[in-house]
Amino acid sequence: RRTGAAVPGVAIVGVSALYAAKQYYEVAPLAGALLALTAVWIGVAGVLVADTWRLNNAVEAEPLYPYKPEGRRSQTRLTIEDFNGF
């Protein structure tokens, strides 16, 4: 299972949460402070995701972006692929 792509995804969500907290804080400081707690929680989740990625890739490094290994078919299947036509 590839988890490397989750690391930048969590980072983007964390930056978004910090930006939202800052914007809310300018209008209503209590709302901004409450959203800042959410940003902290997302930061903790990001550290856990990154550490899981690091531990699972101790043998062979995996990039932080989605990729398809050579010679492997995608496991994603669409319902329309099973349709035989009219």
Side-chain angles (χ1 to χ4, degrees):
R1 193 168 143 205
R2 298 185 338 244
T3 58
V7 175
V10 171
I12 290 170
V13 170
V15 169
S16 175
L18 286 173
Y19 180 74
K22 178 186 173 294
Q23 294 297 312
Y24 271 80
Y25 187 80
E26 292 175 358
V27 176
L30 178 61
L34 292 173
L35 278 177
L37 295 174
T38 302
V40 169
W41 176 245
I42 291 172
V44 169
V47 169
L48 292 173
V49 167
D51 197 45
T52 301
W53 172 79
R54 182 188 60 80
L55 289 172
N56 286 334
N57 293 295
V59 176
E60 182 181 339
E62 177 183 88
L64 291 176
Y65 53 86
Y67 69 97
K68 180 179 155 191
E70 288 294 322
R72 290 185 62 191
R73 287 184 51 159
S74 173
Q75 294 181 358
T76 303
R77 297 288 175 255
L78 302 174
T79 305
I80 198 165
E81 289 178 10
D82 296 331
F83 185 67
N84 293 327
F86 296 121

